[in-house]
Amino acid sequence: MKKVNVAIVGTFGAVGHEMLFLLEKRKFPVGELRPFGSSRTAGKEFLFNGQKYKNIELKCQPGEFKGIDIVLSSPGASVSKQFVPHAIKDGALVIDNTSAFRMNPDVPLVVPEINAEDIFKHKGIVANPNCSAIIMLMAVAPLHRRNRVRRILCATYQAVSGAGMTGIEELERQTREIAGGLTPTKSTFPHQIAFNVFSHNAAIEDNGYNGEENKMIQESRKILHDDSIKIAVTCMRVPVIRAHTEVLYLEFEKPMKPEEAREILSRAPGVDLQDDPKGNHFPMPIEASNRENVLVGRIRKDLSSENGLALMVAGDQLWKGAALNAVQIAEEWLKKA
Amino acid sequence: MKKVNVAIVGTFGAVGHEMLFLLEKRKFPVGELRPFGSSRTAGKEFLFNGQKYKNIELKCQPGEFKGIDIVLSSPGASVSKQFVPHAIKDGALVIDNTSAFRMNPDVPLVVPEINAEDIFKHKGIVANPNCSAIIMLMAVAPLHRRNRVRRILCATYQAVSGAGMTGIEELERQTREIAGGLTPTKSTFPHQIAFNVFSHNAAIEDNGYNGEENKMIQESRKILHDDSIKIAVTCMRVPVIRAHTEVLYLEFEKPMKPEEAREILSRAPGVDLQDDPKGNHFPMPIEASNRENVLVGRIRKDLSSENGLALMVAGDQLWKGAALNAVQIAEEWLKKA
């Protein structure tokens, strides 16, 4: 099998770490592996496929990606803006997990189960969508294909891993501090996250929605190729480590019975139905963590809408919400490479 | 001032404890205090207004409430069904926090800021509504009075105190167990609550909604005296100690600007507006805890609806969601007693 030369940008970030793990787990045919990070993580060593590697400082200069086929990138958006033009000139395809290029009309925004064909329209970049958008659409898209979704209302329960390693560390540290009778200290989040929930910390934009919410709205329309879907979302942080949960109310063009939705979702790729009313067992972040598929359940009629359904999803923010989706894009690309 | 003879049922429960605290804090003119509990808590002592009391075992027999004016009751619903008929015959007014009588057409279901006048239709019982319904309606009712709400969609973030003392103990114990590297043990909830969220543990009923959700729907219509409001809710548990948070999408009869809603809610009794987009500071359960007023904020247009608003609320489940609302009903009754 053809070997693929892979660069990672953000090797020691929460997502970069999972990208390496999943490349190994899914036996992606990595030839050369070139791992990049900030000056802070340069020189740090790690094992991949049993071999020792040393992290390289990314300088965002021409030539750093010569000989690389695929870049899996998850630094900050500002870093992606700097290095990606060079990587493209060096001949690599960048699969970028930041928001830097997602809404650029020339850049495909892809969830492989939904719009894999868009990958091949790329001009050097394929963007990996926002984690909450991916997880929501894994449930919405299969239903939308059968019976067009006209309106989505969503409330999220987002894990701290969305803020990277420091988000996870903050929840763990605050929990210890409170258990020890201390006042919890804050550094990553503006508010205490242990034993609390708060409106997502992304800045509030002009329309009153925060950056995370506007990403979910805009990116969902782009991925579904449907600008007419009406969407409102409320993004909230909860003290959960690494899987996002979302409550959804969907309105369809025509009536959709819960049984029909259940049947569609039970066969949808990348989805595990977890819908057990008798056992009161539905999607939960602890069960969605370290799971490749997204959990969907609590499918029932929206009692307030003629053509409406209520349901919930839970998906691993670091995997399907980020690293796994990026690796899957690389796998789709490889099929035709 | 006239003294009122008060009985408490469930003295050592999470709500009963707060009822006593609030009677003292709000200087309710308690004459005789007669504290009841289960056989398990009978004989247990506590202080009230500086005086020592001994808890009495409730036998659910005639005569136990002779001489009592007001019973503040928060045992299980099955206990209320047994003792309340006797208490009424004994001449007391029962303010019952259980679900036993709430939907009985002869029983007023009251949030004093919303429908205090219903108290005086009582035939011996006034029911205290479900905690999530009270907290939601504190935001909805003032808006509904100005511009009728036609549809409510809600997702909750409910604290463990809703399951009583054992719910709080379970979250604290599981947090310690996980921090110590142990497998969390379960006794009150069917699923791990520490670092997790799950669909509310109330049993799923025939319409696919759980008991908590159906209470919110039915009780809201009764309190607002409006059976035509369309409502769908999704109740979720989160690892938070004692305040419930709720995300709301409201559809009004006519357009309602966010500024108008903000103006109405800034003057609504029992409501504190916490709506600071620049500071990214909105209602949070840690700030709603041990606060009498309910926090309301994140008021913005529902981008998916012509006449819609999105907002959120957070309120102390044990106070406005239970004990405080019950004491406020007693205070309203006292004004005309």
Side-chain angles (χ1 to χ4, degrees), chain A residues 150-169:
Chain A
R150 304 321 306 141
R151 186 181 179 196
I152 302 173
L153 285 168
C154 174
T156 72
Y157 301 67
Q158 293 185 229
V160 294
S161 61
M165 289 288 190
T166 57
I168 298 172
E169 286 159 10

Side-chain angles (χ1 to χ4, degrees), chain A residues 151-157 171-172 175-176 179 190-192 194-204 207-210 213-214 217 221 230-241 245 247-249 251 276-287 298 300-305 310-312, chain B residues 151-157 171-172 175-176 179 190-192 194-204 207-210 213-214 217 221 230-241 245 247-249 251 276-287 298 300-305 310-312:
Chain A
R151 186 181 179 196
I152 302 173
L153 285 168
C154 174
T156 72
Y157 301 67
L171 172 56
E172 292 176 343
T175 303
R176 279 194 310 274
H191 307 290
Q192 175 186 323
F195 304 105
N196 193 24
V197 307
F198 55 79
S199 176
H200 191 285
N201 45 296
I204 304 290
N207 64 355
Y209 285 69
N210 64 44
E213 293 164 349
N214 280 322
I217 294 168
R221 291 187 180 131
K230 294 175 186 167
I231 310 177
V233 301
T234 303
C235 288
M236 302 278 292
R237 287 261 188 232
V238 294
V240 162
I241 301 289
T245 307
V247 164
L248 296 172
Y249 296 101
E251 289 175 33
D276 172 14
K278 276 198 183 143
N280 217 322
H281 192 166
F282 302 106
M284 296 194 291
I286 51 166
E287 293 185 344
R298 277 225 78 192
R300 62 203 194 281
K301 186 163 172 34
D302 174 349
L303 298 174
S304 71
S305 161
L311 65 159
M312 50 181 292
Chain B
R151 185 181 179 197
I152 303 173
L153 285 168
C154 174
T156 72
Y157 302 66
L171 172 57
E172 293 177 343
T175 303
R176 279 196 309 273
H191 309 290
Q192 175 186 322
F195 304 105
N196 194 25
V197 307
F198 56 78
S199 175
H200 191 285
N201 45 296
I204 304 290
N207 64 355
Y209 285 68
N210 63 44
E213 292 164 350
N214 280 322
I217 294 168
R221 291 188 180 130
K230 295 174 184 167
I231 311 177
V233 302
T234 304
C235 288
M236 302 279 291
R237 285 261 188 233
V238 295
V240 162
I241 301 290
T245 307
V247 164
L248 296 172
Y249 296 102
E251 290 176 33
D276 171 15
K278 276 196 183 144
N280 217 322
H281 193 166
F282 302 106
M284 296 195 291
I286 50 167
E287 293 184 345
R298 276 227 78 192
R300 61 204 194 281
K301 185 163 169 38
D302 174 350
L303 298 174
S304 71
S305 162
L311 67 158
M312 53 182 289

